[in-house]
Amino acid sequence: MIGKAIVLVSGGLDSATCLAIAAESGYICHALSFNYGQRSASELLAAKRVVSAAGVKEHKVLDLNLDSFGGSALTDRTIDVPETEVNGIPVTYVPARNTVFLSLGLAWAEVLDADAIFIGVNSLDYSGYPDCRPEFIDAFSTMMNLATKKGVEGGHIALETPLIDLSKAEIIKTGIRLGVDYRMTVSCYQADDQGRACGVCDSCRLRKKGFKQAGVADPTRYQ
């Protein structure tokens, strides 16, 4: 029997690759994106392009308004996005974002009786966010099977993180093999309304480096 999967899709390079991996694995994919008050609204348009090209079963976009809390350069326009490398957890970290996203994905997974949730977190080429670490993923996986009807009744929902141990170059090579068109994606923390990247934020630097190391021409549109 073909299983169902919830795939979190932001519109960026990693989530587009994660969606392609879930589809290749044979899952019927239900994509979930969030309008959480992020600085770059163009990434939601990218998510819709990625999902449309992938031919998923269903795509939901939830409004969260995390910008009402602020506390991050991605949800508070009075905080500048760093354009040079910084030590420690950067101001682009959105407090509890992946915890919130995964919790809502889990709720939909219960409704659909899904077998897995896919998220494109990465613990190698990333910005140091605490909710991208394997320790967080392991803890959330344990929690979600304790907190759900399916888990209590003997079932199981897998939390799949196929990119977690890959470099950005390896992620790109995987996506190319699976036919991902990275021209559709937006990774920049401060992309303009047309989806053009700034080229200098941490996400842009990691993306540029990944394409270079993968030996693949960078299709990103820059400002």
Side-chain angles (χ1 to χ4, degrees):
M1 182 180 68
I2 299 175
K4 300 174 185 176
I6 307 298
V7 186
L8 304 191
V9 181
S10 69
L13 181 154
D14 291 343
S15 68
T17 309
C18 191
L19 176 59
I21 292 171
E24 183 196 39
S25 299
Y27 286 100
I28 298 171
C29 295
H30 298 255
L32 183 59
S33 304
F34 300 95
N35 178 17
Y36 62 92
Q38 59 267 54
R39 181 184 290 262
S40 176
S42 57
E43 69 178 37
L44 277 177
L45 297 177
K48 292 176 181 178
R49 291 193 297 268
V50 167
V51 166
S52 178
V56 304
K57 177 73 172 180
E58 186 177 7
H59 183 206
K60 288 185 181 294
V61 180
L62 300 185
D63 293 322
L64 295 183
N65 301 117
L66 295 183
D67 53 331
S68 65
F69 295 148
S72 167
L74 301 193
T75 56
D76 184 342
R77 291 182 178 273
T78 67
I79 303 174
D80 292 334
V81 172
E83 296 185 350
T84 57
E85 291 189 39
V86 298
N87 294 320
I89 298 171
V91 295
T92 50
Y93 165 63
V94 179
R97 180 175 60 178
N98 283 347
T99 303
V100 172
F101 288 0
L102 284 170
S103 295
L104 291 167
L106 180 60
W108 196 18
E110 281 219 89
V111 171
L112 295 178
D113 191 26
D115 302 287
I117 301 172
F118 279 76
I119 182 171
V121 294
N122 178 259
S123 63
L124 294 180
D125 288 339
Y126 78 121
S127 297
Y129 299 157
D131 55 1
C132 289
R133 297 174 302 144
E135 296 92 334
F136 167 76
I137 294 300
D138 290 343
F140 196 95
S141 178
T142 298
M143 182 280 296
M144 72 184 199
N145 283 291
L146 291 172
T148 54
K149 179 176 182 290
K150 185 169 186 172
V152 169
E153 293 181 347
H156 181 75
I157 303 173
L159 182 50
E160 301 288 355
T161 57
L163 312 183
I164 199 160
D165 293 322
L166 301 183
S167 69
K168 192 68 73 178
E170 290 170 330
I171 292 169
I172 289 169
K173 287 179 180 179
T174 299
I176 294 296
R177 177 179 64 80
L178 296 176
V180 176
D181 183 356
Y182 288 119
R183 293 175 298 177
M184 297 186 298
T185 65
V186 172
S187 300
C188 179
Y189 290 148
Q190 49 189 354
D192 64 15
D193 291 342
Q194 299 176 50
R196 295 178 302 180
C198 73
V200 293
C201 71
D202 196 41
S203 185
C204 280
R205 288 196 300 272
L206 289 171
R207 182 175 168 123
K208 281 182 178 180
K209 177 184 173 183
F211 279 110
K212 183 177 181 179
Q213 292 183 342
V216 176
D218 185 354
T220 308
R221 295 182 302 124
Y222 293 101
Q223 297 171 25

